[in-house]
Amino acid sequence: MTDSVTSDSVMTIDGEAVTGEGAFDVLDPATGAPMGSAPQCSPAQLDRAMRSAQRAQKSWALDHEARRKAMHEAAEIMRNSAPELGPEFTREHGAPVQHAVGQIIISAAWLDYFADLELPASTVRTLPDRTIEISRRPIGVAAAITPWNAPILLAVWKIAPALAAGATMVLKPSPHTPLTTLALGRLLSAALPPGVLNVISGLEPLGQQLVSHPVPRKIAFTGSIPTGKAVGVAAAHDLKRVTLELGGNDAAIVLDDADIDAVVEPLFQSAFANSGQICEATKRVYVPERLYRRLLDALADRARAARVGSGLEPGVEMGPLTTDFQRDHVEDLVQEARAAGATIAAGGNRLPGDGYFFEPTVLGNVREGTRIVDEEQFGPALPVLAYKDLDEAVERANATMYGLSGSVWSTDLQRARSVAARLETGRVKINTFGLPSPDAPFGGVKWSGVGVENGPWALEAYTDLHVTEIGVGSH
Ligand code: NAD
């Protein structure tokens, strides 16, 4: 155990620091050894958190100006905490420390943005004998569940719109990366009234208990498709509203006019940033046969040049995978593809030692029907597939139940736009990798999700519509 900010972590329930009924180890993915421990929230403590969120919600909803001030203050606290929290984030997650610090600073922008966002009431129709006014009311208490790949950003994507809407929250981070989120809960309690944001942690069945608890009227979940479906089913029993942000298998389609030299770096970043553990990372590349060899070799050269190591070491570009099972999953998919005849243009192996490192890997001679093409690898291994004509490439990109995002790479913007319009995804990028912003909706179609986060759409998702019909003669 160390004396770092997160090692003796506590939950935040009703504004207070609360230890769990038991604790569980959090591992450092760079070493595989415990780096801290997190509290296990008991059912009684969960209930206390829910009740405190329920109590706090009434007064939190009443005063918009107080919410605005508190959220800007919370944003400032978050930015100031980044240098201290960043290394702790790296130690539980693995990402290079500059990325960790960057994620915390960027996330604060969501608190600022939503603090100032309003959903004005409107009058949709005035008949001679009546006026109909439409407004939005906060949804009450929201329960939020986050994954391990971007713990702070994805937490704030839920906290900021919920709090701005006048809802309150009980948030549960992934048990693989709970510590930075728990620390954030403590820090933000300096700006937020007790009960407005409760942060709890624990191994399963805590997530299931959160979803089935009678208090929350809304579940905001980011994670895998199988868990997302289970959350949707559980929420349906109580007709709770859901936002589900789930997995992706994003295709990048390189057109035959693409400038390969210009494409390689952003395409590499789109697939390998955060060691490939990004929901909207490029997970398969389609390239015309004529350009296939050139792009494969260039991506392989770039992958070999990437410096992999502990995120705490200066100059490291890619850290370990965050969990051992994710590293094992990527390794299985690469081995299976290799056995099916894929060529390994770069990488292909785990690194020796106890950390969860895997070489940045580029695969060629691989087809649909291989799991690394058909499923979400969520790691640093990228299949490159040749296509004959563009219609075929679009069809292959769309032949999946994933529908999160995708990208098109071309020097002809008109053509790129027309291909982008045909991708069956919630988002698509042209000649760039994804950089989410607070005001642009983020979400998927098909099995990649239900609803969106960010922008006014996210604020709406923490409210219910309320319609007032006023008869003639009313004053
Ligand atoms: P996961 O589904 O295993 O876990 C997500 C969260 O759900 C964790 O907090 C976990 O503890 C909790 N959980 C587990 N079982 C539960 C249950 N039965 N009921 C309620 N909660 C439960 O996902 P993960 O491995 O942590 O995250 C990786 C996945 O998340 C990938 O598929 C990735 O694509 C996806 N993801 C999606 C987005 C998006 O915005 N669409 C963003 C990031 C990650």
Side-chain angles (χ1 to χ4, degrees):
M1 198 69 65
T2 72
D3 60 357
S4 62
V5 283
T6 59
S7 55
D8 288 321
S9 66
V10 287
M11 303 185 285
T12 298
I13 298 178
D14 204 15
E16 289 172 12
V18 176
T19 53
E21 290 186 8
F24 59 95
D25 280 344
V26 179
L27 306 181
D28 178 345
T31 63
M35 53 73 67
S37 75
Q40 179 69 36
C41 182
S42 70
Q45 290 174 320
L46 169 64
D47 196 54
R48 212 186 127 207
M50 289 292 182
R51 303 289 163 199
S52 100
Q54 197 170 36
R55 270 195 312 278
Q57 199 263 323
K58 300 279 175 282
S59 50
W60 180 247
L62 280 180
D63 188 344
H64 179 257
E65 190 47 33
R67 292 206 298 279
R68 217 178 64 79
K69 271 183 66 185
M71 289 180 65
H72 282 304
E73 196 185 324
E76 196 55 25
I77 290 173
M78 221 175 144
R79 268 187 290 272
N80 292 339
S81 73
E84 194 185 3
L85 282 186
E88 296 301 314
F89 181 124
T90 295
R91 290 175 68 240
E92 67 172 344
H93 178 285
V97 72
Q98 68 275 17
H99 294 260
V101 170
Q103 183 175 133
I104 296 164
I105 291 172
I106 287 166
S107 299
W110 266 256
L111 289 165
D112 282 330
Y113 167 80
F114 279 102
D116 294 330
L117 191 64
E118 287 182 49
L119 290 175
S122 59
T123 303
V124 279
R125 191 161 58 104
T126 309
L127 294 175
D129 66 340
R130 69 197 57 218
T131 304
I132 295 173
E133 293 174 355
I134 298 176
S135 60
R136 289 190 169 269
R137 300 201 295 199
I139 202 156
V141 176
I145 299 177
T146 51
W148 43 261
N149 68 306
I152 295 299
L153 186 70
L154 296 172
V156 175
W157 283 17
K158 295 164 182 56
I159 296 168
L163 269 48
T168 54
M169 180 165 274
V170 178
L171 164 69
K172 186 201 81 69
S174 165
H176 300 292
T177 54
L179 300 182
T180 321
T181 312
L182 287 165
L184 188 69
R186 292 308 307 136
L187 289 166
L188 297 193
S189 67
L192 304 172
V196 167
L197 175 64
N198 301 273
V199 184
I200 59 173
S201 64
L203 305 170
E204 281 309 300
L206 183 60
Q208 293 160 65
Q209 291 164 350
L210 202 74
V211 176
S212 59
H213 195 281
V215 163
R217 294 310 310 149
K218 156 99 188 174
I219 310 295
F221 172 86
T222 302
S224 64
I225 291 173
T227 312
K229 286 182 177 179
V231 166
V233 168
H237 288 298
D238 190 31
L239 298 180
K240 297 182 200 301
R241 281 28 173 190
V242 292
T243 300
L244 303 174
E245 298 292 353
L246 310 179
N249 190 10
D250 295 10
I253 302 184
V254 179
L255 303 195
D256 55 9
D257 59 49
D259 175 350
I260 295 298
D261 292 337
V263 157
V264 170
E265 184 58 28
L267 189 55
F268 177 82
Q269 293 299 338
S270 80
F272 290 91
N274 206 29
S275 300
Q277 303 168 116
I278 295 180
C279 53
E280 65 158 347
T282 295
K283 291 173 182 145
R284 50 201 169 119
V285 177
Y286 291 94
V287 56
E289 281 176 348
R290 186 174 65 79
L291 298 174
Y292 167 77
R293 174 50 60 187
R294 235 182 103 202
L295 183 64
L296 184 74
D297 289 346
L299 282 170
D301 286 347
R302 178 63 184 86
R304 275 189 292 270
R307 188 160 161 225
V308 180
S310 161
L312 293 173
E313 276 170 39
V316 159
E317 195 177 358
M318 282 173 57
L321 281 89
T322 302
T323 68
D324 57 348
F325 65 78
Q326 196 59 37
R327 190 267 321 274
D328 294 351
H329 173 65
V330 173
E331 186 175 55
D332 283 352
L333 296 185
V334 169
Q335 281 176 356
E336 191 184 295
R338 201 196 303 246
T343 51
I344 306 295
N349 299 300
R350 66 168 68 191
L351 295 184
D354 294 330
Y356 314 144
F357 295 97
F358 199 83
E359 292 174 318
T361 297
V362 178
L363 301 99
N365 196 32
V366 59
R367 291 280 311 181
E368 288 82 1
T370 314
R371 281 202 302 150
I372 200 157
V373 178
D374 296 347
E375 296 178 16
E376 181 183 43
Q377 64 274 46
F378 216 56
L382 181 66
V384 181
L385 299 94
Y387 70 82
K388 276 194 203 318
D389 73 71
L390 194 51
D391 286 344
E392 170 213 326
V394 172
E395 197 173 311
R396 288 164 70 185
N398 285 337
T400 173
M401 283 310 291
Y402 293 92
L404 188 58
S405 182
S407 59
V408 183
W409 305 79
S410 170
T411 49
D412 181 338
L413 186 57
Q414 194 83 354
R415 276 184 85 211
R417 275 181 186 281
S418 75
V419 175
R422 293 169 64 194
L423 287 186
E424 296 168 3
T425 58
R427 295 163 58 79
V428 60
K429 285 119 357 191
I430 295 176
N431 295 332
T432 186
F433 48 83
L435 272 187
S437 63
D439 50 5
F442 190 102
V445 300
K446 299 182 183 173
W447 283 358
S448 287
V450 173
V452 297
E453 298 195 294
N454 305 337
W457 305 272
L459 195 55
E460 285 180 5
Y462 291 92
T463 66
D464 289 317
L465 277 168
H466 195 240
V467 178
T468 309
E469 198 163 333
I470 305 168
V472 74
S474 303
H475 298 285

